[in-house]
Amino acid sequence: VFWVDASGFNGKIVSLTESKTALLWSSVESEQKRLIGADDKENGANNMAKVRQIYDWQSKYPAFKWCADLGEGWYLPAIEELKRFTLDNTVRNAINPTLATKGGTKIPDIGMPNYWYWSSTESNHKYEGMFCAWGVLMNLDFTGSSNKGSLYYVRAFSAFGNKSQPATT
């Protein structure tokens, strides 16, 4: 668990591991040349739902498939979720010891060279005729968009709780 809302009923968890190798956001050129509506910057589960509507999405979207293969409810995080998790020193420093204790893969420190994480959020920017998606570059404490055919690492999130509970202040 790396985030819980003020009500204490809703939160987010991160997978113990990340992809062992870098993965493509999309593996099919025709999919890289179009926007699919995965534009939610705050909730990756919404973007995951958009991807799941595409015929044969498991073979076309490896980064999303890796997350889905972890089980029900796992998704590729949206860019704002990913930024809060990877670029916030307080969160990363609190989570890494737990990940290590549980046999998981630690989140790399800011400054790790050439270490990108994919988000599930598309960008309307194009590079060499292909649409891009947002990611986090750990070595520069930076977010940027890159061609969906680029190879980056993937970390999955899942949400829990009863969203109907009133928030407390």
Side-chain angles (χ1 to χ4, degrees):
V1 175
F2 74 92
W3 178 82
V4 177
D5 73 1
S7 74
F9 291 101
N10 307 298
K12 295 188 180 182
I13 59 176
V14 64
S15 58
L16 283 175
T17 60
E18 62 186 33
S19 58
K20 292 191 186 303
T21 61
L23 299 172
L24 300 167
W25 199 92
S26 175
S27 62
V28 178
E29 186 175 328
S30 61
E31 294 296 305
Q32 296 168 9
K33 289 183 176 180
R34 72 184 192 108
L35 292 172
I36 60 168
D39 56 5
D40 194 317
K41 292 182 178 181
E42 295 288 338
N43 187 342
N46 291 337
N47 294 332
M48 187 78 162
K50 298 267 174 123
V51 168
R52 286 178 177 264
Q53 293 173 4
I54 297 168
Y55 173 77
D56 196 25
W57 69 271
Q58 297 94 334
S59 68
K60 296 176 181 177
Y61 293 92
F64 291 85
K65 181 184 183 312
W66 186 90
C67 296
D69 284 349
L70 294 178
E72 177 96 22
W74 289 99
Y75 62 89
L76 187 60
I79 188 62
E80 293 301 323
E81 290 174 306
L82 185 61
K83 282 169 45 179
R84 283 189 291 272
F85 179 74
T86 56
L87 299 180
D88 184 325
N89 286 327
T90 304
V91 173
R92 192 178 53 262
N93 292 340
I95 295 301
N96 271 341
T98 302
L99 289 170
T101 300
K102 302 292 182 188
T105 307
K106 291 173 36 176
I107 303 115
D109 291 329
I110 291 173
M112 263 317 253
N114 299 321
Y115 210 97
W116 277 92
Y117 277 112
W118 273 126
S119 84
S120 62
T121 308
E122 285 182 298
S123 165
N124 63 1
H125 298 111
K126 278 189 170 183
Y127 178 74
E128 295 183 354
M130 309 291 183
F131 279 105
C132 297
W134 289 100
V136 170
L137 179 58
M138 296 303 293
N139 70 324
L140 297 176
D141 186 14
F142 173 78
T143 61
S145 61
S146 186
N147 178 307
K148 295 177 185 179
S150 299
L151 290 164
Y152 298 147
Y153 289 92
V154 173
R155 196 97 196 197
F157 286 18
S158 186
F160 66 87
N162 180 352
K163 304 268 189 245
S164 66
Q165 291 291 328
T168 58
T169 55

